[in-house]
Amino acid sequence: SHVYEHTSAPVPPQGLRFTDDPLVPGVTVIKAIHLIELRNAVNAWRTAAGLAPIVVWTDQNPTGATIKAIHIIELRNALDPALRAFGRNPSFSSGVAPGQVVRAVHFQELRNLMK
């Protein structure tokens, strides 16, 4: 007799929605809600990939905080292994380093990677 093992492959999150989508460079003002939504989406991808969600972020409550490069760096670093678990090889088009201005493109790029 044969023993069949049922394994279900992980499924990427579906139906993620973002406020002000797409972000328009030079038009859309980046707000705390955009950062919060990205953090939630990254954690949805991490959970789907079998990775622990990130529970401690810089500026836990970003309402009223200035959006900084560290926020983008954290999101990229958290998202990268989750996407790789699904066979995706993310690349980020524009670098961002502490002291650099965060732009709408940095947010939109992360959103596009998770669609």
Side-chain angles (χ1 to χ4, degrees):
S1 86
H2 291 86
V3 176
Y4 293 97
E5 183 177 322
H6 177 69
T7 58
S8 57
V11 176
Q14 302 294 314
L16 294 174
R17 299 199 186 280
F18 298 104
T19 301
D20 303 320
D21 196 27
L23 297 169
V24 181
V27 175
T28 309
V29 175
I30 300 300
K31 299 175 242 174
I33 188 66
H34 300 138
L35 180 58
I36 293 165
E37 288 173 348
L38 276 177
R39 287 175 174 177
N40 292 338
V42 165
N43 275 335
W45 273 86
R46 288 182 63 84
T47 300
L51 301 168
I54 304 296
V55 293
V56 178
W57 301 93
T58 298
D59 299 318
Q60 272 303 113
N61 179 5
T63 303
T66 300
I67 304 299
K68 299 178 269 220
I70 188 63
H71 299 132
I72 299 298
I73 293 166
E74 285 178 338
L75 288 163
R76 288 176 174 182
N77 290 341
L79 181 59
D80 184 78
L83 290 176
R84 288 182 188 280
F86 288 99
R88 296 183 181 191
N89 189 9
S91 64
F92 303 102
S93 62
S94 59
V96 61
Q100 287 184 326
V101 175
V102 175
R103 303 190 183 285
V105 68
H106 298 125
F107 277 74
Q108 192 61 48
E109 182 177 63
L110 286 161
R111 290 175 170 193
N112 292 344
L113 287 169
M114 291 187 278
K115 290 183 180 178

